[in-house]
Amino acid sequence: MSAFVRLATLLAFAHVILAAPAASDCTGTISSLDDVADAVKCTTVNINSFTVPAGKTFDLKLADGTTVNMQGDVTFAVKNWEGPLFQVSGKSITFNGNGHTFDGNGPSYWDGQGGNGGVTKPAPMMKIKISGTYSNVKVLNSPARVYSVSNPAALTMSKLTIDDSAGDAPNSKSGGKAAGHNTDGFDCSTTDLTIEDSTIHNQDDCLAINKGSNIVFQRNTCIGGHGISVGSISSDVTVSDITIKDNTIQNNDQALRIKTKASAKDSTVSGITYSGNTGTGLRKFGVLIDQSYPDTLGTPGTGVKLSDVNFIGDTNNLSVNSDAMRVAVNCGSGSCTGTWDWSALKVTGGKAGPITNFSGIKNFSQ
């Protein structure tokens, strides 16, 4: 046998030895973090009620094809640290929440500052790094941002509840402001993601798409926050093929927003489609497209090329408060391009907002 053949044989043998063992067709049960290592060796994992110790991540590294069943609520003890509180990874996963709750103990952290100051808060609370399905899970009282989603292949998230409604009220540390802050529902930098049939009550973006493609956000209800956002968009980012349809947005700052950083360079946003969305009680804007972030309607940047933003299909019906703007578009010079079809947008109430540096919007007037 030649030296080359012997070496190849040894390398192949070493690969077999070093490869992770295949998961067994068994059922693992988790009633504390001590159970996790053994449970994830099985392709069925059941989660009972328990409390995760302070400063620890409940981390599930699942074998491909695993089914997870929540059979009780999980509570996270309190510590001022960066988190996350929960993380799950794996491919072709079926995650069944069965209506059970991950409780982040948000009131113990909330100070009206979120991630901008005050005490350190675990953020995001939940890191989702699976493909497959993730359904029927409730998150209660997140310390700050809720879900960070970075799926390795197609993922559908459905029938979820995010309930940070208690954060609407001030507390002794929030200076008269809402105690909950930066409680974004879903922060997504990914591809091939569908989020549907869910309810989000929070104090920040219901959805924030920072980069990625082929993302569908449909039949969701967003209450109390900052609406459905593409952005904020930073440098060297591509966003494309985003569908926002049949959502209900209630008592948010705005219903639908695209926000790109004034300082961003070499980024593109294209193929954004809105259809059949309904917004009521909108406090500041119906639709806001702004290239001056973090300012609002400030001096826009020109480093993000924005095209093919359309309101088509079923009518998007938005109702803004009397002191709000119906639509505001603030483009950098030459950075918004093409023709945008807004024939399926109807906005009532309030006043007309400015349309700056762009004349390509068709089939719509304020």
Side-chain angles (χ1 to χ4, degrees), residues 232-235 259-266 290-296 298-304 330 332 335:
S232 59
I233 302 300
S234 301
S235 296
K259 50 181 177 176
T260 72
K261 293 182 179 178
S263 61
K265 297 180 179 179
D266 300 320
D290 193 357
Q291 296 203 290
S292 69
Y293 191 80
D295 292 340
T296 300
T299 302
T302 59
V304 181
N330 185 33
S335 58

Coordinates of all heavy atoms in Angstrom, one line a residue, residues 232-235 259-266 290-296 298-304 330 332 335:
S232 N -32.8 49.2 10.6 CA -32.0 50.2 9.9 C -30.9 49.5 9.1 O -30.4 48.5 9.5 CB -31.3 51.1 10.9 OG -30.5 50.5 11.8
I233 N -30.6 50.1 7.9 CA -29.7 49.5 6.9 C -28.3 50.2 7.1 O -28.2 51.4 7.1 CB -30.2 49.7 5.5 CG1 -31.6 49.1 5.3 CG2 -29.2 49.2 4.5 CD1 -31.6 47.6 5.6
S234 N -27.3 49.3 7.3 CA -25.9 49.8 7.5 C -25.2 49.7 6.2 O -25.8 49.4 5.1 CB -25.2 49.0 8.6 OG -25.9 49.2 9.8
S235 N -23.8 49.8 6.2 CA -23.0 49.7 5.0 C -22.9 48.2 4.6 O -22.9 47.3 5.4 CB -21.6 50.3 5.3 OG -21.7 51.6 5.5
K259 N -35.8 52.4 6.8 CA -34.9 53.3 7.4 C -33.5 52.9 7.1 O -33.1 51.8 7.4 CB -35.1 53.4 9.0 CG -35.1 52.1 9.7 CD -35.4 52.3 11.2 CE -35.5 51.0 11.9 NZ -35.6 51.2 13.4
T260 N -32.7 53.8 6.5 CA -31.4 53.6 6.1 C -30.5 54.6 6.8 O -30.9 55.8 6.9 CB -31.1 53.6 4.6 OG1 -31.2 54.9 4.1 CG2 -32.2 52.7 3.9
K261 N -29.3 54.2 7.2 CA -28.5 55.1 8.0 C -27.9 56.1 7.0 O -27.4 55.8 5.9 CB -27.3 54.3 8.6 CG -27.8 53.4 9.8 CD -26.7 52.7 10.5 CE -27.2 51.8 11.6 NZ -26.1 51.1 12.3
A262 N -27.8 57.4 7.5 CA -27.3 58.4 6.7 C -25.8 58.2 6.3 O -25.3 58.6 5.2 CB -27.4 59.8 7.4
S263 N -25.1 57.5 7.2 CA -23.7 57.2 7.0 C -23.4 55.9 6.2 O -22.3 55.7 5.9 CB -23.0 57.1 8.4 OG -23.6 56.0 9.1
A264 N -24.4 55.2 5.9 CA -24.2 53.9 5.2 C -23.7 54.1 3.8 O -24.1 55.0 3.1 CB -25.5 53.1 5.2
K265 N -22.9 53.1 3.3 CA -22.4 53.1 2.0 C -22.5 51.7 1.4 O -22.4 50.7 2.1 CB -20.9 53.6 2.0 CG -20.7 55.0 2.5 CD -19.3 55.4 2.5 CE -19.1 56.9 2.9 NZ -17.7 57.3 3.0
D266 N -22.6 51.7 0.0 CA -22.5 50.4 -0.7 C -23.5 49.4 -0.3 O -23.2 48.2 -0.2 CB -21.1 49.8 -0.6 CG -20.0 50.7 -1.1 OD1 -20.2 51.4 -2.2 OD2 -18.9 50.9 -0.5
D290 N -37.1 56.8 5.0 CA -36.2 57.8 5.5 C -34.7 57.4 5.4 O -34.3 56.3 6.0 CB -36.5 58.1 6.9 CG -35.9 59.4 7.4 OD1 -35.1 60.0 6.7 OD2 -36.1 59.8 8.6
Q291 N -33.9 58.1 4.7 CA -32.5 57.8 4.5 C -31.6 58.7 5.4 O -30.4 58.8 5.1 CB -32.1 57.9 3.0 CG -32.8 56.9 2.2 CD -32.1 56.6 0.9 OE1 -32.0 57.4 0.0 NE2 -31.6 55.4 0.8
S292 N -32.2 59.2 6.5 CA -31.4 60.0 7.4 C -31.2 59.4 8.8 O -30.8 60.1 9.7 CB -32.0 61.4 7.5 OG -33.2 61.3 8.2
Y293 N -31.5 58.1 8.9 CA -31.5 57.5 10.2 C -30.0 57.6 10.8 O -29.1 57.5 10.1 CB -31.9 56.0 10.1 CG -32.1 55.3 11.4 CD1 -33.2 55.5 12.1 CD2 -31.1 54.5 11.9 CE1 -33.4 54.8 13.3 CE2 -31.3 53.9 13.2 CZ -32.4 54.0 13.8 OH -32.6 53.4 15.1
P294 N -29.9 57.9 12.1 CA -30.9 57.9 13.2 C -31.8 59.1 13.3 O -32.6 59.1 14.2 CB -30.0 57.7 14.4 CG -28.8 58.3 14.1 CD -28.5 58.1 12.7
D295 N -31.5 60.1 12.5 CA -32.4 61.3 12.5 C -33.7 60.8 11.8 O -33.8 59.8 11.1 CB -31.8 62.5 11.8 CG -30.6 63.1 12.5 OD1 -30.5 62.8 13.7 OD2 -29.8 63.7 11.9
T296 N -34.8 61.6 12.1 CA -36.0 61.5 11.3 C -36.2 62.7 10.5 O -36.3 63.8 10.9 CB -37.2 61.3 12.3 OG1 -37.0 60.2 13.1 CG2 -38.5 61.1 11.6
G298 N -34.1 64.1 8.5 CA -33.0 64.9 8.6 C -32.3 65.0 7.2 O -32.9 64.8 6.2
T299 N -31.0 65.2 7.2 CA -30.2 65.2 6.0 C -29.9 63.8 5.5 O -29.3 63.0 6.2 CB -28.9 65.9 6.2 OG1 -29.1 67.3 6.7 CG2 -28.1 66.0 4.9
P300 N -30.5 63.4 4.4 CA -30.4 62.0 4.0 C -29.0 61.6 3.4 O -28.4 62.5 2.7 CB -31.5 61.8 2.9 CG -31.6 63.2 2.3 CD -31.3 64.2 3.4
G301 N -28.6 60.4 3.6 CA -27.4 59.9 2.9 C -27.7 59.4 1.5 O -28.8 59.3 1.1
T302 N -26.6 59.1 0.8 CA -26.8 58.6 -0.6 C -26.1 57.3 -0.8 O -26.0 56.8 -2.0 CB -26.2 59.6 -1.6 OG1 -24.8 59.8 -1.3 CG2 -26.9 61.0 -1.5
G303 N -25.7 56.6 0.2 CA -25.0 55.3 0.1 C -25.8 54.1 0.0 O -25.3 53.0 -0.1
V304 N -27.1 54.2 0.2 CA -28.0 53.0 0.0 C -28.9 53.3 -1.2 O -29.7 54.2 -1.2 CB -28.9 52.8 1.3 CG1 -29.8 51.6 1.1 CG2 -28.0 52.7 2.5
N330 N -38.0 60.5 2.3 CA -36.8 61.4 2.4 C -35.6 60.6 1.8 O -34.9 59.9 2.5 CB -36.6 61.7 3.9 CG -35.4 62.7 4.1 OD1 -35.2 63.5 3.3 ND2 -34.7 62.5 5.2
G332 N -31.9 60.3 -0.3 CA -30.7 61.0 -0.7 C -30.8 61.3 -2.2 O -31.5 60.6 -3.0
S335 N -30.5 58.5 -4.9 CA -30.4 57.1 -4.3 C -31.7 56.3 -4.3 O -31.7 55.1 -4.1 CB -29.9 57.2 -2.8 OG -30.7 58.1 -2.0

